[in-house]
Amino acid sequence: MKVLHVIETLDFGGAEKVLVDLVEATRGPMSPAVCCVKRSGELAARLHPSVPVIELGKGEGNDWRLPWRLAEIAREGGFGVMHSHMWGVYLEAALAARLAGVPLIHTVHGSYMAYPSGAAARFKMTLRHALERRAAVWHRRVVAVSDAIQRFLVDELGFDARRVETIHNGIDSRLPEVPKRQGNTFITVGRLAAVKNQAMMLRAFAAVRHGWPQARLNIIGDGPERASLEALAARLGVASCVQFMGFRDDVAEHLAQADVFLMSSHYEGISIAVLEAMRSGLPVIGTRVGGMPETVDHGRTGWLVDDNDEAGFAQAMRDALADPTRSAAAGSAGRQRQQREFSLDETARRYLRLYAQGGA
């Protein structure tokens, strides 16, 4: 069966990494292709050369020519299933699948897109939600990557609960375990954007470093907040012990050299960065938002604090440094949890079942 994945881009990001891993894990039983409605992006290079990548060059905003272009691609390519990813392509992909007469599976990777305040924006959001509920009737399955997102789809957006199921993200579990040093290096991986709230993380780190001058923080990722975060680190007096590393292809190597993983987001689904940290045997300190409580077992594989709880976040960091034996045990338990509950093999198996059933 040929499966057409539809996404805006393959720029560096969690959902995009999930798609690439899923394509690679199902290549063989299925014949996948990826359609990027805007542009491909750097993650396209991680796909096997046999996987076609189609770019449509769409600009910002809605383009109502797009459903007909996607439908044409699906028909001419003989695709048996269309699999769309993220809210930005949902309505267009749903209409395209209906026009082409192929089943659609849609995966919701995160929270709903932000709308500005005001009556016009509220009307647009209400209209879009209504269209999405209508589109969901056309196909059989919407996949949420966490139970929290599944509840949001049903309780907040009004999707039919019978059409929504959770399939947790998974990653390749075959990375060899690396004995952890009992050092003082914190690490985080993610886009430098407001939703990730790295500013709170930096303030908490600065508070911790007063008592632990040997502590270090490595920040892997880039984004619109980088300049302001670098300026904040300078104002807090921690610029010399905070390393902004940009996007990296060797994340696993840096995780292996760190001691504790940090995730300070206002919202997360099932974070691939957190799963990769767990696979590396790192305890995780994060915020109790979205799918984080489904990923991190508080007190066993790490520590969770309330959203934007700077004091609680700093205290969890101190606790991790103060008891390295407990931190190492939490990291080991997290690795076991990732391998047991968040493996790529299990994620791929569940999607293959949906593909074979035509999204039923």
Side-chain angles (χ1 to χ4, degrees), residues 274-353:
V274 168
L275 295 183
E276 290 175 344
M278 293 167 64
R279 179 182 62 186
S280 294
L282 292 180
V284 176
I285 297 172
T287 42
R288 192 178 288 105
V289 298
M292 286 293 288
E294 299 170 47
T295 315
V296 179
D297 187 351
H298 176 66
R300 176 170 163 73
T301 68
W303 297 266
L304 294 176
V305 303
D306 290 339
D307 180 25
N308 212 34
D309 181 1
E310 182 181 323
F313 203 86
Q315 187 57 53
M317 294 168 71
R318 294 188 190 96
D319 291 344
L321 292 176
D323 193 344
T325 300
R326 182 186 179 194
S327 293
S332 179
R335 177 176 167 85
Q336 294 172 24
R337 181 178 174 89
Q338 181 274 311
Q339 293 178 327
R340 184 176 64 250
E341 301 181 27
F342 300 97
S343 73
L344 181 57
D345 288 344
E346 175 61 14
T347 300
R349 184 191 67 80
R350 295 190 62 184
Y351 275 113
L352 285 170
R353 177 182 59 80

Side-chain angles (χ1 to χ4, degrees), residues 22 83 105 107 143 167 347-355:
L22 181 61
H83 186 174
I105 297 166
T107 297
V143 175
I167 298 179
T347 300
R349 184 191 67 80
R350 295 190 62 184
Y351 275 113
L352 285 170
R353 177 182 59 80
L354 287 183
Y355 296 156

Side-chain angles (χ1 to χ4, degrees), residues 28 49 59 122 157 190 199 229:
R122 286 196 301 272
L157 298 191
L229 290 170

Side-chain angles (χ1 to χ4, degrees), residues 35-234:
C35 180
C36 299
V37 301
K38 290 184 177 179
R39 60 188 177 276
S40 57
E42 58 264 44
L43 290 179
R46 300 187 183 183
L47 292 169
H48 191 272
S50 66
V51 178
V53 177
I54 305 162
E55 294 181 287
L56 298 184
K58 174 183 172 294
E60 296 301 323
N62 295 116
D63 182 350
W64 292 106
R65 297 170 298 177
L66 181 59
W68 278 265
R69 296 178 70 186
L70 288 172
E72 183 179 18
I73 291 169
R75 283 193 299 263
E76 292 184 353
F79 290 96
V81 173
M82 188 180 295
H83 186 174
S84 55
H85 300 260
M86 302 175 71
W87 288 114
V89 300
Y90 177 46
L91 287 178
E92 291 87 346
L95 180 55
R98 188 166 176 84
L99 290 169
V102 299
L104 176 75
I105 297 166
H106 179 69
T107 297
V108 182
H109 293 267
S111 59
Y112 200 78
M113 63 191 74
Y115 272 86
S117 58
R122 286 196 301 272
F123 172 77
K124 183 177 180 180
M125 182 172 65
T126 300
L127 175 61
R128 188 175 181 96
H129 287 341
L131 292 172
E132 287 163 346
R133 285 192 296 272
R134 181 69 185 97
V137 177
W138 293 345
H139 56 275
R140 298 177 183 143
R141 190 63 66 210
V142 176
V143 175
V145 301
S146 72
D147 292 334
I149 292 175
Q150 183 179 23
R151 290 191 295 270
F152 170 76
L153 292 173
V154 174
D155 298 341
E156 301 296 326
L157 298 191
F159 280 39
D160 185 346
R162 294 168 297 180
R163 298 178 184 271
V164 183
E165 73 171 274
T166 296
I167 298 179
H168 283 142
N169 292 336
I171 61 173
D172 190 340
S173 301
R174 292 173 293 181
L175 187 73
E177 186 168 13
V178 178
K180 304 313 298 179
R181 299 178 299 115
Q182 295 185 355
N184 305 282
T185 301
F186 296 99
I187 191 169
T188 188
V189 180
R191 191 163 184 263
L192 305 187
V195 69
K196 300 296 185 179
N197 201 17
Q198 288 104 346
M200 184 273 280
M201 181 192 301
L202 277 174
R203 292 191 297 269
F205 174 75
V208 169
R209 196 167 184 275
H210 288 305
W212 297 86
Q214 67 273 46
R216 297 290 184 269
L217 172 60
N218 293 333
I219 299 177
I220 295 179
D222 212 332
E225 294 296 309
R226 178 166 181 167
S228 64
L229 290 170
E230 289 176 331
L232 176 60

